[in-house]
Amino acid sequence: MFNNMRAIDIRGNVGPAESLYMAEIPKPIPKEGQALIKIKAFGINRADIMQRDGEYPVPPWAGRIMGLEFSGIIEELGENSESSFSVGDEVFALAYGGAYAEYITVSTHMLIHKPPHLSWEEAAGIPETWLTATKVMYKIGEFTRGKSILWHAGASGVSISGIQLALSAGASAVYATARSDEKCDFCVNTLGATAAFNTTDPNWVDQVMKATNGKGVDIIADLIGPDVFAENLKIAAKDARVVLVGLMSGFTFKKEFDMGLLAFKRVRYEGSTLRSRDEDFQRKLRDTFVSEALPQFQSGQFKVHIEKVLPWEQIIDAHKLMETNKIMGKIICTID
């Protein structure tokens, strides 16, 4: 019993939310350069739902236990760990998997010191969304001060993070889309977006072009996929960057699009996932986040918007809530 721990597993490897259950598995042992973390809280992400449903290509090194982000306390360090971390430090981090558990081992290159004023729940809601937003803007979108940016699914965790990041970094305009007026109002009135557009309105593309005086948008963060591909080409500015980081509308096209716009506007359309990137990429992304965003968390400028906090024993309810697509912020599970 001493060498075991509790973790959330899936009966039959894939299945509905009801297939999740509390299992007992071996407690991990930190390897060279790794830390063993006692987890206090972890975030729920759409990738978890896709993995549970068997629709996510899980990296072979990730293991079967879900969970991509967490906060907790360093309990043990392997040899040759980063010298800035010590046993007892409060940290949060991105993980390749395994955060739905009492303990996790990760490279110390992934760890970030938790600011004292942040709660465990807030810290656990940062890594996946904020590092993805950082990647979209700086690593792929090639953001520089004065560019405009649009975040699809504006009330999602990634876009909530991205809107704040872009405003702080000096974007000329920060736009968002959503599928309800309530979410659009949240993006503008709570997050501070320049404007938000309801994509259930058939004229939303015209509204974007009017808002940009016909220029279009310099960077588009696409969490939707096929359903907005044609529209992205229409609202993209010349030399725009479109970054595909989500496939909420599925994997296949259901309508025609004008391929000529891709060429004539010189649009670069690039897909990216974070989980499949190697540790060196993750470390560099962590360092960018620490320099570009962490100071604003320490000052209180950036906020983690949390929809609901649940004890991890209610993991089924957490997954079902994520599946409603009605949330505006993170779902966090806590471990006593």
Side-chain angles (χ1 to χ4, degrees), residues 57-164:
V58 180
W61 58 86
R64 60 180 289 121
I65 302 301
M66 293 177 290
L68 302 176
E69 58 185 348
F70 65 90
S71 61
I73 302 171
I74 297 178
E75 189 165 286
E76 186 179 344
L77 287 167
E79 294 183 359
N80 299 318
S81 300
E82 280 195 19
S83 60
S84 60
F85 294 101
S86 303
V87 171
D89 283 355
E90 298 181 350
V91 295
F92 61 100
L94 194 66
Y96 287 112
Y100 286 18
E102 291 181 299
Y103 293 90
I104 190 172
T105 52
V106 296
S107 167
T108 51
H109 294 326
M110 311 274 273
L111 295 178
I112 303 168
H113 287 285
K114 182 178 81 67
H117 70 279
L118 285 183
S119 68
W120 294 115
E121 294 85 353
E122 289 171 322
I126 292 175
E128 175 67 17
T129 56
W130 280 88
L131 268 72
T132 297
T134 300
K135 177 191 68 172
V136 167
M137 280 183 56
Y138 292 103
K139 299 295 185 182
I140 303 177
E142 299 180 345
F143 175 84
T144 55
R145 179 175 291 272
K147 287 187 176 182
S148 61
I149 187 167
L150 181 143
W151 297 86
H152 281 300
S156 68
V158 170
S159 292
I160 288 173
S161 307
I163 289 169
Q164 295 180 74

Side-chain angles (χ1 to χ4, degrees), residues 45-64:
N45 290 281
R46 193 162 299 278
D48 301 338
I49 308 299
M50 295 176 67
Q51 179 176 339
R52 192 203 70 210
D53 288 340
E55 296 178 350
Y56 193 100
V58 180
W61 58 86
R64 60 180 289 121

Side-chain angles (χ1 to χ4, degrees), residues 17-21 312-321:
E18 289 80 4
S19 64
L20 300 175
Y21 74 104
W312 75 320
E313 290 86 355
Q314 296 181 30
I315 188 65
I316 293 175
D317 294 332
H319 271 230
K320 286 184 173 181
L321 180 58

Side-chain angles (χ1 to χ4, degrees), residues 221-297:
D222 184 3
L223 289 80
I224 306 299
D227 280 2
V228 295
F229 183 86
E231 289 80 2
N232 284 342
L233 297 182
K234 292 177 182 178
I235 65 174
K238 286 186 177 180
D239 298 308
R241 301 289 185 259
V242 184
V243 187
L244 178 66
V245 289
L247 293 160
M248 294 173 66
S249 64
F251 297 85
T252 58
F253 292 107
K254 302 177 182 67
K255 55 187 175 182
E256 295 181 350
F257 54 88
D258 184 353
M259 182 67 84
L261 294 173
L262 193 67
F264 300 145
K265 290 186 176 183
R266 301 184 298 272
V267 175
R268 191 178 79 190
Y269 207 113
E270 183 171 344
S272 179
T273 60
L274 185 53
R275 193 176 187 181
S276 61
R277 303 305 294 257
D278 62 27
E279 187 180 301
D280 186 57
F281 181 93
Q282 304 273 18
R283 177 187 59 79
K284 291 176 180 176
L285 185 59
R286 178 204 65 174
D287 293 345
T288 300
F289 167 82
V290 169
S291 64
E292 299 294 337
L294 190 60
Q296 287 88 332
F297 278 105

Side-chain angles (χ1 to χ4, degrees), residues 296-315:
Q296 287 88 332
F297 278 105
Q298 293 168 331
S299 69
Q301 178 184 349
F302 286 168
K303 300 185 182 303
V304 182
H305 292 264
I306 296 176
E307 174 75 21
K308 196 171 186 65
V309 175
L310 294 165
W312 75 320
E313 290 86 355
Q314 296 181 30
I315 188 65

